[in-house]
């Protein structure tokens, strides 16, 4: 189940980033585009902060806007994947 929890965290992070961007545009606040190439590292065990990954040069890159699966990262979605939203028709 670690994989499904990790996938849920990744999707949640992208949703939060998307909402922050939408809020800036919707409410007329000056926003900044996050489009471009970003360095990142997946953190399924939530060790990044305690191990101070923010002080390291991360090796993986991802392009925004975009999704992790389309760029070869993350985990496959299966029937065992936990979702943060509601699935009406199971």
């Amino acid at each position: 189940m670690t994989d499904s929890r990790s996938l849920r965290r990744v999707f949640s992070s992208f949703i939060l980033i998307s909402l922050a961007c939408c809020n800036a545009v919707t409410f007329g606040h000056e926003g900044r585009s996050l489009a471009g190439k970003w360095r990142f590292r997946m953190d399924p065990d939530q060790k990044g902060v305690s191990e101070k990954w923010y002080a390291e040069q991360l090796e993986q890159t991802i392009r925004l806007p975009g999704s992790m699966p389309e760029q070869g990262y993350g985990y496959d979605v299966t029937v065992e994947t936990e979702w943060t939203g509601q699935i009406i028709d199971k």
Side-chain angles (χ1 to χ4, degrees):
M1 282 296 171
T2 301
D3 291 344
S4 62
R5 278 186 259 147
S6 299
L7 183 61
R8 188 175 66 205
R9 285 187 203 114
V10 169
F11 282 134
S12 297
S13 297
F14 278 108
I15 289 170
L16 289 174
I17 290 170
S18 298
L19 289 174
C21 292
C22 290
N23 275 340
V25 172
T26 303
F27 296 109
H29 298 284
E30 187 176 321
R32 179 170 284 170
S33 173
L34 297 176
K37 192 174 183 180
W38 288 80
R39 293 185 177 276
F40 83 105
R41 181 173 171 188
M42 290 179 53
D43 190 7
D45 299 319
Q46 297 187 345
K47 295 180 179 180
V49 174
S50 64
E51 294 179 1
K52 300 181 180 178
W53 292 0
Y54 51 83
E56 299 176 15
Q57 182 76 21
L58 302 176
E59 294 181 15
Q60 294 174 306
T61 60
I62 194 164
R63 185 159 296 282
L64 295 179
S67 70
M68 292 181 68
E70 74 182 347
Q71 297 179 63
Y73 297 110
Y75 305 103
D76 290 334
V77 176
T78 69
V79 294
E80 301 298 320
T81 302
E82 294 180 28
W83 297 94
T84 58
Q86 200 176 41
I87 297 177
I88 305 295
D89 184 11
K90 296 183 180 183

